[in-house]
Amino acid sequence: MKHITLKNKENELQVCNVVYGPGEAGGNLDKMTSYRFMDYYVERGGDTLDTARVYGSWHIPGRALSEEMIGSWMKSRGNRNQLIVSTKGGHPPMENMYSPRINAAEIRKDLEASLRDLETEYVDIYWLHRDDLNKPVSEIMPVLHEFVKEGKVRVLGASNWTCERIAEANRFATENSLTPFSSSQICWALAKYRLMPHDDTEIQMTEEAYNWYLSQEMPVFAFTSQAQGLFQKAIAAGGSLEAMHNEGFTHYFETEATNHNIKAVKELAEKYNVSPSTINLAYFHSNKLPSVALFSASRLSQMEDTLSDTDFVLSEEEMETFWW
């Protein structure tokens, strides 16, 4: 697998461009399955895991089951120093997504709890999982900077923040000799979402945002990079959203652009005799913008398919066939 660089004045990380997100580890995935999936990812050359304080709390309120399982697995394998560990804090309460928790006390509480459950003294990438537009960046960035100075965090990221707010935060950080955000994590897929896949506080890639990230050379982590398996499902069903006969799923996507990209993925997969997943991920690997594709899996066969050819790239001409 290839890597991209995340850095600030204090640290520099080499992050795998295909990142496994074991969000259901300890939840829908039992211990044996969770361990096997993480083992397989590492066996295939992966070295970066992405989780969040909130992951797994929908099964047992107050428990970060994903972080707990990752911590247990790393301890059993003795491989913490060989991995990049990415986690997120500051998520609103699950019962009220419009009640922000972006304040010094709540963010620190989340980080300390994450360090405990991950059984580590530091996390490589720490993301704020949501923003609070009513909170000035002058009250946020000094808190995050302290985490870096304390050695508890190596690199900072913003998840579901607009590029305008990231620019404001980084401008303040630069002017005040604080640690800036080094990356953004947003909804970005070859399928164009009409509605956000989880809730409307999520931020989706746009052409304007893409151009800003490109101008800043800021790497982007793409969650829902595989659009919840859309391309495999649609191609297997006949090659379009309509062929799936699953309006409960397909109504999340804009029809014209998504159908165009389903057709393009299908043609390229057939041309090169590879899985649709390979073409889907190659969109990110071949992108002018430094990109990381996040993925998850509920079955080992899905992980095997996703990781079947992570070095496959597309030509500029082939990249131009996609709409988004």
mmCIF file of all heavy atoms in Angstrom, residues 39 73 90 172 192 265 276 307:
data_model
loop_
_atom_site.group_PDB
_atom_site.id
_atom_site.type_symbol
_atom_site.label_atom_id
_atom_site.label_comp_id
_atom_site.label_asym_id
_atom_site.label_seq_id
_atom_site.Cartn_x
_atom_site.Cartn_y
_atom_site.Cartn_z
ATOM 1 N N ASP A 39 -6.042 -8.272 11.950
ATOM 2 C CA ASP A 39 -4.884 -9.082 11.539
ATOM 3 C C ASP A 39 -4.766 -9.109 10.017
ATOM 4 O O ASP A 39 -3.677 -8.941 9.461
ATOM 5 C CB ASP A 39 -5.012 -10.513 12.060
ATOM 6 C CG ASP A 39 -4.718 -10.649 13.545
ATOM 7 O OD1 ASP A 39 -4.048 -9.760 14.103
ATOM 8 O OD2 ASP A 39 -5.159 -11.657 14.129
ATOM 9 N N TRP A 73 -6.601 -5.583 21.125
ATOM 10 C CA TRP A 73 -5.901 -6.249 20.021
ATOM 11 C C TRP A 73 -4.450 -5.797 19.933
ATOM 12 O O TRP A 73 -3.534 -6.616 19.789
ATOM 13 C CB TRP A 73 -6.638 -5.978 18.715
ATOM 14 C CG TRP A 73 -5.921 -6.457 17.482
ATOM 15 C CD1 TRP A 73 -5.842 -7.743 17.025
ATOM 16 C CD2 TRP A 73 -5.177 -5.644 16.563
ATOM 17 N NE1 TRP A 73 -5.086 -7.791 15.866
ATOM 18 C CE2 TRP A 73 -4.674 -6.513 15.561
ATOM 19 C CE3 TRP A 73 -4.898 -4.288 16.483
ATOM 20 C CZ2 TRP A 73 -3.901 -6.048 14.501
ATOM 21 C CZ3 TRP A 73 -4.134 -3.824 15.428
ATOM 22 C CH2 TRP A 73 -3.640 -4.705 14.449
ATOM 23 N N GLY A 90 -15.303 14.720 20.754
ATOM 24 C CA GLY A 90 -16.165 15.895 20.638
ATOM 25 C C GLY A 90 -17.434 15.660 19.853
ATOM 26 O O GLY A 90 -18.040 16.615 19.352
ATOM 27 N N PHE A 172 -5.798 31.241 12.484
ATOM 28 C CA PHE A 172 -5.613 31.620 13.889
ATOM 29 C C PHE A 172 -4.423 30.873 14.492
ATOM 30 O O PHE A 172 -3.609 31.466 15.223
ATOM 31 C CB PHE A 172 -6.881 31.323 14.694
ATOM 32 C CG PHE A 172 -6.743 31.592 16.167
ATOM 33 C CD1 PHE A 172 -6.929 32.864 16.669
ATOM 34 C CD2 PHE A 172 -6.401 30.569 17.041
ATOM 35 C CE1 PHE A 172 -6.771 33.119 18.025
ATOM 36 C CE2 PHE A 172 -6.248 30.813 18.407
ATOM 37 C CZ PHE A 172 -6.434 32.094 18.893
ATOM 38 N N LYS A 192 -22.658 10.433 -5.697
ATOM 39 C CA LYS A 192 -23.028 11.750 -5.175
ATOM 40 C C LYS A 192 -24.215 11.607 -4.227
ATOM 41 O O LYS A 192 -25.305 11.173 -4.624
ATOM 42 C CB LYS A 192 -23.388 12.680 -6.334
ATOM 43 C CG LYS A 192 -23.778 14.080 -5.904
ATOM 44 C CD LYS A 192 -22.591 14.858 -5.416
ATOM 45 C CE LYS A 192 -22.957 16.318 -5.176
ATOM 46 N NZ LYS A 192 -21.836 17.101 -4.641
ATOM 47 N N VAL A 265 -17.509 2.858 -13.621
ATOM 48 C CA VAL A 265 -16.821 1.861 -12.786
ATOM 49 C C VAL A 265 -16.968 0.479 -13.401
ATOM 50 O O VAL A 265 -16.007 -0.302 -13.472
ATOM 51 C CB VAL A 265 -17.375 1.883 -11.339
ATOM 52 C CG1 VAL A 265 -16.882 0.663 -10.554
ATOM 53 C CG2 VAL A 265 -16.962 3.166 -10.627
ATOM 54 N N PRO A 276 -15.092 -4.016 -8.876
ATOM 55 C CA PRO A 276 -15.540 -2.624 -8.791
ATOM 56 C C PRO A 276 -14.917 -1.884 -7.609
ATOM 57 O O PRO A 276 -14.654 -0.680 -7.702
ATOM 58 C CB PRO A 276 -17.054 -2.746 -8.641
ATOM 59 C CG PRO A 276 -17.391 -4.033 -9.322
ATOM 60 C CD PRO A 276 -16.236 -4.956 -9.012
ATOM 61 N N LEU A 307 -9.253 -5.080 -0.425
ATOM 62 C CA LEU A 307 -7.789 -5.048 -0.380
ATOM 63 C C LEU A 307 -7.140 -5.900 -1.467
ATOM 64 O O LEU A 307 -5.940 -6.144 -1.423
ATOM 65 C CB LEU A 307 -7.310 -5.513 1.001
ATOM 66 C CG LEU A 307 -7.813 -4.691 2.194
ATOM 67 C CD1 LEU A 307 -7.311 -5.278 3.503
ATOM 68 C CD2 LEU A 307 -7.398 -3.229 2.073
#
